Amino acid sequence: MTKRTAPAQTELPGRPGRRLWHVVVPLKPLALAKSRLGPAAGEPGRGRLALAFALDTVAAALACPPVGSVTVVTDDAEAAGQLGAAGARVVPDAPRAGLNAALAHGEQRVRAVEPGAAVAALNADLPALRPAELARVLAAAGGGRAFLADAPGTGTTLLAADAGVALAPGFGVASRARHLASGAREIGLGGVDSVRQDVDTGADLRAALALGVGRHTAAELDRLAAYGRQAGDRDGGAARCPFPGRAPGPRAASDGVCG
């Protein structure tokens, strides 16, 4: 579903005083994405997982009532096609100068169309994202710049900037400290685990699975688990789980990463 907003619309229709947020999601080319999942998922598998995570993230954001639009910044043609079909506006990563430059470019493109837009940068790897939890975070984000730390408490999964305020993203390693030092306010909400749980490692993925992942991620994990079982059959041995620390079993991967 594609959300469309009238030019310069900054409030929820029928809800004066409630901000309408325009979300920017950055996504690396799939061949470069999620390198730390490579040993577990394999080289093609990690790119497919990255795309599945992004599809679930964008679907949840588009289903969130305070979100007026989702803009994905990516140079990956496959991801652009699928995310565009899912309802996102896709723009190329024209700066090609890293994550923060991509986010600043996305912010600029959004505000070229919506000059009074409130903008939120959101990680692309939130496969368990719940629209209601995202709505709570955005409701707490108004007034200047604000951010939500990731589950470990060292990174950032969301950075929001109110109308007329520059996003000034500082994502990357130890971004929580960087955003605090830049003057952004930390959003201290509890009960928004799905907005905090990004996925870089197998342990992160198991944590997201415990929350409940979206359909694209579940389907891709099922495919990887089936491949592991087939590989085990071909080798005449036990099924091979593509994620460490989990015993392979007959259950789908979406039930717990290979059993």
Side-chain angles (χ1 to χ4, degrees), residues 90-160:
V90 181
V91 300
D93 181 7
R96 296 185 180 178
L99 173 59
N100 292 308
L103 285 168
H105 176 63
E107 173 195 13
Q108 180 183 30
R109 293 292 297 268
V110 167
R111 286 177 165 163
V113 177
E114 300 277 359
V119 176
L122 184 68
N123 285 7
D125 56 352
L126 298 168
L129 185 62
R130 300 289 188 270
E133 291 185 13
L134 178 59
R136 289 185 60 215
V137 172
L138 292 173
R145 292 168 65 241
F147 73 94
L148 187 76
D150 62 6
T154 59
T156 304
T157 58
L158 178 143
L159 173 68

Side-chain angles (χ1 to χ4, degrees), residues 145-149 153 176 180 184-188 196:
R145 292 168 65 241
F147 73 94
L148 187 76
R176 175 181 179 269
L180 279 172
R185 173 177 55 85
E186 182 167 6
I187 299 168
R196 296 186 187 272

Side-chain angles (χ1 to χ4, degrees), residues 35-242:
S35 58
R36 283 189 281 172
L37 284 176
E43 289 307 302
R46 66 180 173 86
R48 287 192 291 265
L49 275 175
L51 177 56
F53 296 165
L55 285 164
D56 285 329
T57 300
V58 166
L62 286 169
C64 179
V67 173
S69 70
V70 175
T71 297
V72 176
V73 183
T74 187
D75 277 340
D76 192 278
E78 179 184 2
Q82 293 200 39
L83 291 162
R89 177 191 184 199
V90 181
V91 300
D93 181 7
R96 296 185 180 178
L99 173 59
N100 292 308
L103 285 168
H105 176 63
E107 173 195 13
Q108 180 183 30
R109 293 292 297 268
V110 167
R111 286 177 165 163
V113 177
E114 300 277 359
V119 176
L122 184 68
N123 285 7
D125 56 352
L126 298 168
L129 185 62
R130 300 289 188 270
E133 291 185 13
L134 178 59
R136 289 185 60 215
V137 172
L138 292 173
R145 292 168 65 241
F147 73 94
L148 187 76
D150 62 6
T154 59
T156 304
T157 58
L158 178 143
L159 173 68
D162 220 337
V165 178
L167 189 62
F171 285 81
V173 177
S175 62
R176 175 181 179 269
R178 193 157 44 251
H179 284 134
L180 279 172
S182 74
R185 173 177 55 85
E186 182 167 6
I187 299 168
L189 284 177
V192 291
D193 293 350
S194 75
V195 197
R196 296 186 187 272
Q197 188 58 65
D198 56 354
V199 174
D200 289 312
T201 67
D204 294 335
L205 182 53
R206 286 190 287 275
L209 284 162
L211 296 173
V213 296
R215 65 183 183 90
H216 297 96
T217 301
E220 184 56 31
L221 288 170
D222 287 347
R223 190 199 65 78
L224 284 171
Y227 173 79
R229 289 193 293 271
Q230 291 165 5
D233 291 342
R234 286 196 303 271
D235 294 345
R240 297 184 302 189
C241 178

